[in-house]
Amino acid sequence: AAMNSDDRHNHYDEEEDVEETFVDDDDVADVVHYEGEEGDMAMDDEDDEEEEGEGGERSEILLEDDSVQGFFAHKEPVFSIDLHPTQQNLVVSGGSDDRAYIWQLDTGEQIAELSKHGDSVSAVGFSSDGSLVATGGMDGKIHVYSVDKREQCATLDGPDEIQFIDWHPKGNVLLAGAQDASLWMWSLPTGDFMHVFAGHSAPVTCGRFTNSGRNIVSGAEDGSLIVWDPKTAAIVRQFTSQDERFHQGAITSLAIARDDQVILTGSVDATAKLVHVNGTILGSLGNATESVEAVGLCDVLPLAATGSVDGSLSVWDINTMRLRTTLRHDDSVTRVLWHESSPMLTSVSMDSSVRTWDARTGECVRVWRGHQAGIMDLALTRDGRT
């Protein structure tokens, strides 16, 4: 059913109907990146446990690691990860070492090293049925592979630096957003070109198919948000910075409600905006002091989450547009994911931690540590346990 500004109040079930779920101590697999020669931890042997403090005293270094598994083939920062939709033990990852890998979540075993890009791998993703996997690079190339055969089936050209990729939810159609303000779409595994989407005037920073696959939504550095028809590449709806109620800075992130009627966007202007696909601007969520880099919409309660460079993670009631609670990391929040059919929320940050929260109470259910640098991306299994 369509949701508009009048019926948002009764669109969701009551909080009491939501089954409470928690994450057990041993259920999270963490990809830990260590920097050092030949992948070793960047510490001298004699400094493994101690270092010299003031006055010549020795102080113990405590390295926390709550992970149950890690993958260490990447030699530089990892930018993007994705989980296979049905074989959730399979992970694809890509990073600034120009490489992408498929590996096993439970053992950390490398399954495949994919073809090297000419620049950083900025985006990776499995197709909706899991038969294909794609890697997009800052070299403007997209490599597509058969997951079962571990063979490359297409190389896609056209855009310049790839900012993101997204697979259609019901077919092997791939979307990519680029630094040159365009979006491109192809049919796979043939690699046949389908459309270029032109309407933004600056790099396209975020975008995806709607949950039904009937539309595409994209946001750009010019502050514009566009809803597209994927069949014709026509603009269905557009929100721009010319409207003073909308963003006055680059859009960094977006989320789409489960029924595809409401879109949440984050921006460097330190606000998040909630809009309806009918063109209505529903409201502004604005308590951050710096750029809002991550946003998410809960699929069982009328709640939104916004994560900022200032370290705040805010939970909002989108019926009243009021702030419900503000949670905190020690550094920039980089990614936020709501658990499927749950009021639980997991966030990652440049403070190197992974945190899971109960959005109803604001309680931090668990903190995981193990990374030695900021975390750039996050993926959750569908059961929310890993």
Side-chain angles (χ1 to χ4, degrees):
M3 185 206 303
N4 56 41
S5 56
D6 295 321
D7 65 16
R8 285 183 294 118
H9 297 266
N10 54 26
H11 180 67
Y12 294 88
D13 296 332
E14 294 296 321
E15 290 187 30
E16 292 80 3
D17 295 334
V18 180
E19 183 179 352
E20 193 167 4
T21 58
F22 292 94
V23 184
D24 296 328
D25 286 359
D26 296 322
D27 285 330
V28 169
D30 194 5
V31 183
V32 184
H33 171 64
Y34 296 108
E35 294 185 358
E37 292 186 4
E38 299 180 357
D40 292 333
M41 294 173 63
M43 298 184 295
D44 294 331
D45 290 342
E46 64 266 23
D47 293 336
D48 281 354
E49 297 180 355
E50 297 179 328
E51 69 176 357
E52 188 168 332
E54 293 183 7
E57 296 180 357
R58 309 291 289 186
S59 60
E60 187 177 357
I61 297 176
L62 298 177
L63 289 179
E64 295 182 75
D65 187 357
D66 302 312
S67 66
V68 297
Q69 193 50 259
F71 179 73
F72 307 99
H74 289 286
K75 303 307 179 189
E76 294 184 40
V78 177
F79 291 148
S80 182
I81 58 173
D82 191 33
L83 286 168
H84 193 281
T86 57
Q87 303 174 55
Q88 297 232 290
N89 196 37
L90 283 184
V91 185
V92 61
S93 58
S96 64
D97 54 5
D98 310 343
R99 298 187 181 278
Y101 299 90
I102 298 174
W103 50 279
Q104 284 195 192
L105 191 66
D106 57 349
T107 65
E109 178 187 355
Q110 179 178 311
I111 302 300
E113 179 178 346
L114 305 179
S115 298
K116 192 172 186 290
H117 280 263
D119 204 338
S120 297
V121 177
S122 52
V124 297
F126 289 102
S127 61
S128 56
D129 66 359
S131 64
L132 301 173
V133 64
T135 64
M138 302 301 281
D139 58 359
K141 307 282 188 185
I142 297 175
H143 300 161
V144 184
Y145 306 82
S146 164
V147 173
D148 290 338
K149 295 180 181 179
R150 311 281 193 259
E151 294 178 355
Q152 188 166 342
C153 59
T155 298
L156 310 177
D157 292 296
D160 63 359
E161 300 177 9
I162 303 298
Q163 302 296 302
F164 67 87
I165 60 174
D166 189 56
W167 288 94
H168 192 279
K170 298 178 181 178
N172 288 332
V173 172
L174 184 66
L175 176 73
Q179 182 78 12
D180 62 7
S182 68
L183 294 94
W184 293 63
M185 193 170 74
W186 300 267
S187 175
L188 277 306
T190 60
D192 292 339
F193 165 77
M194 296 177 72
H195 288 300
V196 172
F197 300 81
H200 295 290
S201 61
V204 186
T205 55
C206 53
R208 49 164 290 198
F209 288 99
T210 56
N211 299 299
S212 67
R214 295 192 184 111
N215 291 112
I216 291 167
V217 181
S218 60
E221 287 187 7
D222 60 6
S224 65
L225 177 74
I226 299 179
V227 180
W228 310 85
D229 182 344
K231 294 181 179 178
T232 63
I235 294 176
V236 175
R237 197 75 62 197
Q238 188 169 13
F239 303 85
T240 72
S241 57
Q242 293 179 350
D243 187 332
E244 293 183 355
R245 299 172 300 163
F246 198 59
H247 290 300
Q248 300 301 300
I251 293 177
T252 61
S253 51
L254 65 85
I256 303 173
R258 183 156 62 175
D259 66 0
D260 291 340
Q261 297 300 299
V262 171
I263 304 165
L264 178 66
T265 54
S267 169
V268 298
D269 66 8
T271 70
K273 305 292 184 182
L274 195 70
V275 302
H276 195 280
V277 292
N278 65 11
T280 305
I281 298 176
L282 301 175
S284 181
L285 310 177
N287 73 323
T289 58
E290 296 183 70
S291 176
V292 175
E293 295 288 314
V295 297
L297 289 166
C298 181
D299 61 7
V300 292
L301 294 174
L303 299 176
T306 59
S308 172
V309 170
D310 65 14
S312 66
L313 176 60
S314 300
V315 178
W316 306 81
D317 184 325
I318 61 173
N319 284 343
T320 63
M321 303 301 293
R322 291 181 178 175
L323 179 64
R324 183 155 172 160
T325 185
T326 299
L327 316 170
R328 295 213 67 87
H329 275 273
D330 298 326
D331 205 336
S332 304
V333 178
T334 53
R335 192 92 158 85
V336 171
L337 286 179
W338 288 94
H339 294 217
E340 191 171 312
S341 302
S342 168
M344 308 300 286
L345 176 70
T346 295
S347 57
V348 294
S349 166
M350 296 305 289
D351 67 8
S352 308
S353 74
V354 181
R355 301 173 190 242
T356 292
W357 318 81
D358 186 332
R360 296 164 299 183
T361 63
E363 177 190 2
C364 184
V365 176
R366 182 69 200 271
V367 180
W368 293 273
R369 301 186 188 278
H371 289 282
Q372 305 304 307
I375 303 172
M376 308 298 290
D377 201 8
L378 166 71
L380 284 174
T381 54
R382 285 182 172 168
D383 62 9
R385 296 176 65 85
T386 305

